[in-house]
Amino acid sequence: MNRNIARAVLLSAGFIWGFGFIVNKYVLDNGWDDSQLLFVRFFTATVFIFMIFFKKIIKTDSETIKKGLFLGIFLFLGFFFQTWGLEETTASNNALITAGYIVFLPVIIYIFERKFVRIKTLLAALITFIGIIIITVDFKDISSGINMGDVYTFIGAIFWGIHIYLLGKTAKQKDPVVLMAFQLLVVSIFAFIAMMIKAGIPQVDFSDWNSSKLLVAAVIIGFFASFIAFVFQSIGQKHSNETEAAILISTESVFGPILAILVYNELFSINLLLGMILVFLGVVLSEIDVIELIKKTRNKRFNKKNKAS
């Protein structure tokens, strides 16, 4: 696979996850509990990944299984709080705040490895945080405070950051597809427990399309967003560098709000647009060495001038 195809695959994953926010919001707005959606979505993904990669999974070693199960705990916590937050906030806010996980990564790295955070990373974190504040706080009514759905999403983003850090360390040693299989299995198990405690098995009337289409939507988003997109991410990252992959995947934070406005009829606002720009700018800045990029650009121009002369 060449690099351009890898870029297209990663961008496709970002688009799928961006659209996933809309489908998830639709299911939650029409009566399902967040734990019910989480279980159906990840049970679907688990079934497909074990069916398709069964021969590879069955040959795996016990250490890979243990690491996959451990990673699954953080994947569950990230999705649990993200989906819970989506119940009480907009798809746009949910998508944008979730993107904050990329900025949390340097802090997490410092905590685990005691590596100092660079100035440009702190600047990126500040820009992203300002963007999140702009989209979550109603400045016309400060007394109303911050939406709890945004708070839950923010907590989920922290767990996302921890998960990505640990996955990055483990995936270099173990097969990422096998690791993902056992992570999805753990999320399915915990989601089932949460569902039985909170809401029970979703009631679906198959004679009523309005009822059954929620189950169909949950299964579809499970197949595409929790199976296909993760496979796309694994394939794309294998054929591109980490910085490029992170930026292309984070386009979910741009696709999410745009699709929410176009497809789900969420209200457009200047605050949302400004917040979206700042969050994405912070994400890009956190992954790109701007000074080094400027130097490389200048050197290329200088070399071209010398060749022309």
Side-chain angles (χ1 to χ4, degrees):
M1 179 184 290
N2 64 45
R3 196 165 179 177
N4 286 331
I5 294 176
R7 288 168 179 165
V9 168
L10 289 167
L11 194 63
S12 297
F15 178 82
I16 291 171
W17 281 325
F19 194 75
F21 288 105
I22 316 306
V23 180
N24 287 340
K25 185 63 175 171
Y26 170 77
V27 174
L28 295 173
D29 282 351
N30 284 276
W32 276 36
D33 181 77
D34 60 282
S35 60
Q36 293 172 326
L37 171 61
L38 205 60
F39 169 69
V40 173
R41 175 177 170 174
F42 278 89
F43 180 72
T44 300
T46 302
V47 169
F48 275 105
I49 199 167
F50 272 88
M51 282 176 57
I52 295 172
F53 298 102
F54 179 76
K55 290 183 178 180
K56 180 183 287 190
I57 294 169
I58 202 69
K59 294 177 182 178
T60 193
D61 58 278
S62 59
E63 186 181 357
T64 302
I65 295 173
K66 289 177 183 177
K67 289 182 180 295
L69 296 175
F70 178 70
L71 287 167
I73 296 172
F74 295 98
L75 183 63
F76 166 74
L77 290 171
F79 267 111
F80 177 77
F81 281 102
Q82 181 195 62
T83 310
W84 188 11
L86 186 57
E87 269 193 322
E88 301 184 40
T89 190
T90 64
S92 299
N93 283 23
N94 197 252
L96 287 167
I97 297 170
T98 297
Y101 72 81
I102 292 181
V103 179
F104 296 142
L105 276 173
V107 179
I108 293 166
I109 291 171
Y110 175 77
I111 292 172
F112 280 95
E113 301 182 10
R114 288 295 184 267
K115 289 183 179 179
F116 288 102
V117 181
R118 293 178 292 178
I119 296 297
K120 68 111 176 176
T121 303
L122 293 175
L123 178 61
L126 178 62
I127 291 171
T128 304
F129 185 71
I130 292 172
I132 291 173
I133 290 295
I134 288 173
I135 63 175
T136 57
V137 177
D138 184 356
F139 293 97
K140 294 180 181 178
D141 185 15
I142 298 293
S143 61
S144 64
I146 297 177
N147 186 301
M148 284 306 297
D150 295 333
V151 174
Y152 299 146
T153 306
F154 190 83
I155 295 171
I158 295 174
F159 283 115
W160 269 116
I162 296 172
H163 173 263
I164 289 171
Y165 168 77
L166 295 175
L167 179 61
K169 293 288 184 181
T170 310
K172 293 176 181 177
Q173 308 163 349
K174 303 295 180 180
D175 189 312
V177 173
V178 176
L179 284 173
M180 184 53 62
F182 287 100
Q183 288 176 75
L184 294 177
L185 178 62
V186 169
V187 176
S188 296
I189 293 170
F190 280 117
F192 178 77
I193 295 170
M195 178 181 71
M196 297 310 293
I197 293 172
K198 291 184 65 182
I201 298 171
Q203 299 300 310
V204 180
D205 181 0
F206 291 99
S207 63
D208 179 9
W209 173 240
N210 288 326
S211 174
S212 57
K213 71 180 179 181
L214 296 178
L215 176 61
V216 172
V219 169
I220 289 174
I221 203 62
F223 176 76
F224 285 101
S226 296
F227 171 59
I228 295 294
F230 276 127
V231 172
F232 277 10
Q233 180 187 6
S234 299
I235 294 172
Q237 282 192 274
K238 186 176 181 179
H239 299 278
S240 63
N241 62 61
E242 293 178 0
T243 298
E244 187 175 53
I247 293 171
L248 290 171
I249 290 169
S250 70
T251 53
E252 64 174 318
S253 66
V254 176
F255 286 129
I258 292 174
L259 291 169
I261 293 167
L262 296 176
V263 178
Y264 206 65
N265 297 321
E266 285 192 5
L267 295 177
F268 171 81
S269 68
I270 297 300
N271 279 14
L272 179 63
L273 177 62
L274 182 59
M276 183 169 66
I277 292 171
L278 288 175
V279 168
F280 191 64
L281 179 62
V283 168
V284 172
L285 183 60
S286 71
E287 297 297 331
I288 290 181
D289 191 329
V290 178
I291 296 175
E292 186 64 28
L293 187 64
I294 292 172
K295 287 180 179 179
K296 286 182 178 179
T297 304
R298 286 179 177 175
N299 288 338
K300 284 182 180 179
R301 289 177 179 174
F302 180 75
N303 291 335
K304 284 182 179 179
K305 286 181 180 179
N306 285 343
K307 287 181 180 180
S309 60

